[in-house]
Amino acid sequence: MSAATTRSRTPRTPDRLCVEAVELARAAAEEAAFPGVVGEHASVVAEGDRVVTHYFECKEPGYRGWRWAVTVTRASRAKNVTLDETVLLPGDDALLAPEWVPWSERLRPGDMGPGDLLPTDAEDLRLEPGWSGEDTPPPNSVVSAEMAELVEAEDADVTDRTVVPVRGSITSVAEELGMRRARVLSRYGLHTAADRWDDSFGAKTPMAQAAPASCVSCGFLVAIGGSLGQAFGVCANEFSPADGRLVSLSYGCGGHSEAAVMPAPLRPAPPVLDSMASDEFPLRPAPDMGSVPVTDLPPPDLGHS
């Protein structure tokens, strides 16, 4: 092992004059800090030949565990120690602020309020240009294949957006599908949305695992159009936890329309004795009824002789 290697691995011995310059270092720290926030002398570390850093405790509120670091040095063969730099540094147990995160990554669902504007990146992968009637649909467009088939089958012409689209043209079909907007969802945007909705109201949720049946057979399910309609629908059961939400067809809850059908109320049988009707009891027999002729009956008692 060479002498140079031995010297590089040997711990540096702090310069005596620099180590003794505690008051100089304290005065520099107090000048940089507010009065009364520089604490006791904590330690001293040799940074190099005739270069020493003095550490002082920091009493500043909110900077727990931080230390004032004052570096002093002296020239070769000089007896005067000079100030190098003063800085506030965190210690091993210092209270540090969390790592800065851009606003676009900090934003969470529900953070937007009335009047807030959320800018969308021009190169957002969730969106793609809509059908303008002038350009060819992008290769990853949802309706690009269908549009190509319409062109070959119907020989439809592309009309200008300012003119009412001709029925059967590409523009009219694009307008009917809602594709004449400036930008529409791309396949990536559709997949990410489907994954997000499936996590909230999908087959793997605890509610769906305990449900008696899935939403695909529920009468409260409102079907939606487009490619998402093959896997999702809207719940219209006001007592369901997913009311008004987009749910997977494999989702389910206890509010399924056929889960527990209540039987129709029984119709009561007619009463044996009708107590609501009146029975007619004649005081005298009818002339055509009975075995005693009317002529043989005694005269009616009128109450006088």
Side-chain angles (χ1 to χ4, degrees):
M1 184 179 294
S2 63
T5 305
T6 304
R7 287 195 301 269
S8 62
R9 293 184 178 180
T10 302
R12 293 189 178 95
T13 301
D15 184 76
R16 181 179 60 84
L17 295 179
C18 291
V19 171
E20 294 176 353
V22 177
E23 296 304 324
L24 174 65
R26 177 182 294 276
E30 292 177 349
E31 183 180 357
F34 289 103
V37 298
V38 179
E40 299 295 330
H41 186 267
S43 61
V44 60
V45 177
E47 305 290 351
D49 295 337
R50 297 178 303 279
V51 179
V52 168
T53 299
H54 293 271
Y55 290 95
F56 299 89
E57 295 179 357
C58 179
K59 297 182 179 180
E60 179 76 19
Y63 285 85
R64 185 186 63 192
W66 288 64
R67 302 176 300 175
W68 285 101
V70 181
T71 303
V72 295
T73 184
R74 70 180 182 88
S76 177
R77 298 181 181 180
K79 295 182 179 181
N80 294 330
V81 179
T82 58
L83 179 65
D84 193 353
E85 64 176 354
T86 303
V87 66
L88 183 63
L89 297 177
D92 296 336
D93 57 344
L95 181 62
L96 301 176
E99 184 179 356
W100 183 82
V101 180
W103 69 267
S104 57
E105 300 179 14
R106 297 196 308 267
L107 191 64
R108 293 293 179 267
D111 289 348
M112 291 188 62
D116 294 341
L117 298 179
L118 178 61
T120 305
D121 191 357
E123 302 297 332
D124 196 325
L125 296 178
R126 300 172 299 173
L127 300 172
E128 66 180 12
W131 177 255
S132 63
E134 300 175 356
D135 304 323
T136 304
N140 61 338
S141 175
V142 179
V143 296
S144 59
E146 288 78 4
M147 293 301 171
E149 294 177 0
L150 285 174
V151 171
E152 296 178 359
E154 302 179 7
D155 195 19
D157 298 329
V158 177
T159 59
D160 184 45
R161 293 190 63 177
T162 59
V163 182
V164 178
V166 180
R167 183 175 180 82
S169 63
I170 297 178
T171 306
S172 65
V173 176
E175 183 173 359
E176 182 178 355
L177 296 177
M179 300 298 294
R180 293 193 72 192
R181 291 163 289 172
R183 287 191 295 178
V184 296
L185 276 175
S186 63
R187 280 200 176 101
Y188 174 77
L190 288 172
H191 291 168
T192 55
D195 292 341
R196 186 172 61 254
W197 297 335
D198 192 70
D199 290 340
S200 301
F201 298 98
K204 296 182 180 180
T205 58
M207 181 67 72
Q209 296 290 332
S214 59
C215 293
V216 68
S217 59
C218 182
F220 294 108
L221 182 74
V222 179
I224 62 174
S227 59
L228 290 176
Q230 302 175 7
F232 294 93
V234 179
C235 178
N237 187 351
E238 59 178 325
F239 301 108
S240 170
D243 180 36
R245 303 292 187 88
L246 205 65
V247 297
S248 172
L249 298 183
S250 56
Y251 179 73
C253 68
H256 194 281
S257 61
E258 312 304 324
V261 181
M262 298 180 61
L266 297 177
R267 179 176 298 177
V272 177
L273 177 62
D274 189 0
S275 60
M276 302 300 294
S278 60
D279 297 331
E280 183 179 358
F281 294 97
L283 297 177
R284 300 182 183 277
D288 56 348
M289 297 180 62
S291 58
V292 180
V294 179
T295 57
D296 298 338
L297 293 176
D301 186 7
L302 302 179
H304 57 85
S305 57

